[in-house]
Amino acid sequence: MNLKFLPWLTFGTLVGVFLGFAGGKGSPEAPMIVGGVGATLGLAGFCIVSMVHKALKLEDSTTDHDAIAGAFVGTICGGFIAAYRGFGRVMISIFNPDLPERDWGTFFGATGGIFLGALFGACAASAVVPLLRQERRHPNDSAGNDGNKTNGI
């Protein structure tokens, strides 16, 4: 068995089992059924990611630490800002207009802000940080000039 496959299968199964316990209302079949669905989705996720990595010739060993840090910062900022700036009203109107905003507005705002903040933070950090790390060339430096000023004497 491929060891890269194991975390995908384990995570999908565990999330499915926990969701089955939470939503099954005491039914013993619910964790098994939802766990099986989670394992299937974990298998599908592994296959999709493997195909994308082969198609784009991406290395598995490289990790974009800037994107991870940006997602973390975006999650925190997005969750706080969206919870208190009325984003919950927008989320409720899109996903479930029957919910009362005063009861669910903060929760939906924070949830939507977390997802959008993590996405935006990861993309922004992954794109901007490498640009900032590049060495800047001065306009008066040229390839043949080593910085020594001589008057040809």
Side-chain angles (χ1 to χ4, degrees), residues 6 29 33 78 84-85 100 109-110 119 128 130 135 141 151:
L6 187 62
E29 296 89 15
I33 293 171
Y84 296 110
R85 296 290 182 197
L119 179 67
V128 171
E135 291 184 31
D141 287 345
N151 293 332

Side-chain angles (χ1 to χ4, degrees), residues 64-67 69 125 127-136:
D64 192 357
H65 296 286
D66 299 330
V128 171
V129 171
L131 294 175
L132 296 175
R133 286 186 183 162
Q134 290 179 353
E135 291 184 31
R136 303 192 190 269

Side-chain angles (χ1 to χ4, degrees), residues 62-102:
T62 59
T63 301
D64 192 357
H65 296 286
D66 299 330
I68 293 171
F72 181 69
V73 171
T75 297
I76 293 171
C77 293
F80 280 115
I81 292 170
Y84 296 110
R85 296 290 182 197
F87 189 62
R89 182 181 318 117
V90 175
M91 293 289 292
I92 288 173
S93 68
I94 292 172
F95 292 109
N96 194 352
D98 295 334
L99 287 176
E101 181 188 342
R102 64 185 165 96

Side-chain angles (χ1 to χ4, degrees), residues 19-147:
L19 287 175
F21 278 126
K25 298 182 181 177
S27 174
E29 296 89 15
M32 292 188 299
I33 293 171
V34 181
V37 170
T40 305
L41 291 176
L43 173 66
F46 173 76
C47 293
I48 290 170
V49 168
S50 295
M51 290 187 321
V52 167
H53 276 233
K54 285 181 184 177
L56 298 177
K57 296 178 178 68
L58 298 174
E59 294 181 33
D60 291 336
S61 63
T62 59
T63 301
D64 192 357
H65 296 286
D66 299 330
I68 293 171
F72 181 69
V73 171
T75 297
I76 293 171
C77 293
F80 280 115
I81 292 170
Y84 296 110
R85 296 290 182 197
F87 189 62
R89 182 181 318 117
V90 175
M91 293 289 292
I92 288 173
S93 68
I94 292 172
F95 292 109
N96 194 352
D98 295 334
L99 287 176
E101 181 188 342
R102 64 185 165 96
D103 295 335
W104 293 96
T106 305
F107 173 74
F108 272 85
T111 304
I114 285 170
F115 282 114
L116 293 177
L119 179 67
F120 180 74
C123 292
S126 182
V128 171
V129 171
L131 294 175
L132 296 175
R133 286 186 183 162
Q134 290 179 353
E135 291 184 31
R136 303 192 190 269
R137 296 185 79 180
H138 297 291
N140 59 358
D141 287 345
S142 62
N145 187 5
D146 62 356

